[in-house]
Amino acid sequence: MPERKAVKQSTRRRQDAPNLPRRKVAKTTVGWEFTGKFRPSQDRWWRQKEDEYGKPVLNAKGHPVREKTELFGKGDRYKIRYYDPEGNERGKFFPDKQLTKAKTFLTKMQHDAPGR
């Protein structure tokens, strides 16, 4: 029997597939703003470095520079902000190396929240 060659799968989205639905972000949505994008998850160990005028410091490639916070290495690393089913703002903490688990939890909470 001849050996099969491994076929490399493409990670590109098919062109004929319809666009996925997007949820509208309300002004009442909880979360931190980072470079103009809504971020309901917060890394409590690192923050964006700012100059004396409050503007973000960028490196040679134009990416924001991060600096350690006072909490670096202590306690849980990620904080997720969400609304519970009753409409109250809540937060939950996740340890280091569990960002995927934290984002999965956030997605579940966002889909359970009423009218958001």
Side-chain angles (χ1 to χ4, degrees):
M1 186 182 256
E3 288 187 36
R4 287 185 170 181
K5 288 186 178 180
V7 178
K8 185 174 181 181
Q9 293 281 330
S10 173
T11 57
R12 294 180 89 186
R13 186 167 167 77
R14 290 184 11 210
Q15 296 300 315
D16 61 338
N19 290 331
L20 297 172
R22 294 197 151 238
R23 293 179 57 123
K24 199 170 189 178
V25 178
K27 289 186 177 186
T28 58
T29 307
V30 183
W32 282 50
E33 200 165 305
F34 181 72
T35 64
K37 295 181 181 177
F38 172 71
R39 300 278 189 218
S41 60
Q42 172 191 1
D43 186 344
R44 300 175 65 233
W45 289 2
W46 293 91
R47 69 173 154 244
Q48 186 174 351
K49 189 173 184 177
E50 297 178 345
D51 63 9
E52 60 271 8
Y53 303 108
K55 301 273 185 175
V57 176
L58 304 176
N59 63 13
K61 292 184 177 181
H63 298 283
V65 176
R66 299 185 320 156
E67 62 184 357
K68 292 179 182 178
T69 66
E70 306 78 35
L71 297 172
F72 184 81
K74 300 175 188 167
D76 291 333
R77 179 170 181 179
Y78 301 106
K79 181 178 183 181
I80 300 297
R81 297 168 184 225
Y82 64 96
Y83 286 101
D84 66 7
E86 288 82 37
N88 300 319
E89 181 183 335
R90 298 282 182 222
K92 185 171 179 174
F93 296 94
F94 291 85
D96 189 25
K97 299 180 182 174
Q98 290 193 8
L99 182 59
T100 305
K101 185 176 179 182
K103 288 186 177 182
T104 303
F105 173 80
L106 175 64
T107 303
K108 182 181 181 313
M109 290 295 108
Q110 286 175 336
H111 289 286
D112 289 348
R116 299 242 184 249

